[in-house]
Amino acid sequence: MRKNIVAGNWKMHKTNTETVALLNEIMAQLKTPNCEVIFAPTFVNLKTAVDTVKGHHITVAAQNMHQAEGGAFTGEIAANMLTDIGVNTVILGHSERRAYFHETDALLENKVNTALKHNMRVIFCFGEELKDRQNNNHFNVVEYQLRDALFALEKKDWANIVLAYEPVWAIGTGETATPEQAQEMHLFIRELIAKVYGNDVADNVSILYGGSVKPDNAKEIFSKPDVDGGLIGGASLKANDFLAIVNAF
Ligand code: PEP
């Protein structure tokens, strides 16, 4: 059965000291949540975060990784560097990686394969831009992002895939897809996966929504049957906002 997940993507925010402070503030108030709680701090703070959350039911994830096993790639991070410090979940394909660092679906396919080879779980982000939605091309764009990056996977690989539908026009903009728009797309995605991999894979994959999820809209978005949680940017940086979103489940 698929699980509900609320994941905070801290992007390039929070120093090491601030990371510990925010985690402690959240952990002090986190009751037994009805969902998995994930934080993705920046690379240099991952080990500190792993140590800080020890003993709590919290997962620490990376925001990115390189597709190669290692080598002359200045400034990059390999999968085994993450797993070695206890980070076994990685966000791949975030729209900011696609837009500012030119990550393509072909590159992301490589990254996904490398992560899975290392038994990591992937939170795979994708979603249309505003012009795609205005041109009524959003279902097509989403379908091809998934086909190009994920549909060469074997059925068994899907046990380690979490999907995060993030319409680019709703990220960090204050614009949110309506709960109905989110549900419509999530259902489309689940039906597409069912066609390619069968109902068992489709029913078991968690599909998160991302794009300006806040305490005041989380409950309604999460109440939709095909929305299994959220990938949260801005609101994950404030303990009370993030806790309110977690408690929306
Ligand atoms: C994100 O960056 O993945 C995101 C959803 O950001 P925000 O919640 O700030 O829109």
Side-chain angles (χ1 to χ4, degrees), residues 43-44 46 62-82 90-92 97 100-103 107 111:
F43 283 126
V44 289
L46 284 172
Q63 298 174 16
N64 178 35
M65 54 162 247
H66 197 270
Q67 66 277 15
E69 293 296 332
F73 299 102
T74 301
E76 291 291 335
I77 308 284
N80 69 351
M81 297 171 186
L82 297 172
V90 61
I91 298 172
L92 293 176
R97 300 293 317 169
Y100 307 141
F101 302 95
H102 315 294
E103 295 199 359
L107 172 76
K111 290 193 176 200

Side-chain angles (χ1 to χ4, degrees), residues 11 94 166 170-172 210-212 231-234:
K11 309 191 184 186
H94 191 279
E166 299 207 299
I171 296 181
S212 301
L231 182 54
I232 321 296

Side-chain angles (χ1 to χ4, degrees), residues 176-194:
T176 318
T178 63
E180 291 70 31
Q181 285 173 320
Q183 168 58 23
E184 182 186 38
M185 182 59 88
H186 284 221
L187 179 61
F188 170 79
I189 293 162
R190 206 178 297 284
E191 287 179 346
L192 176 63
I193 292 168

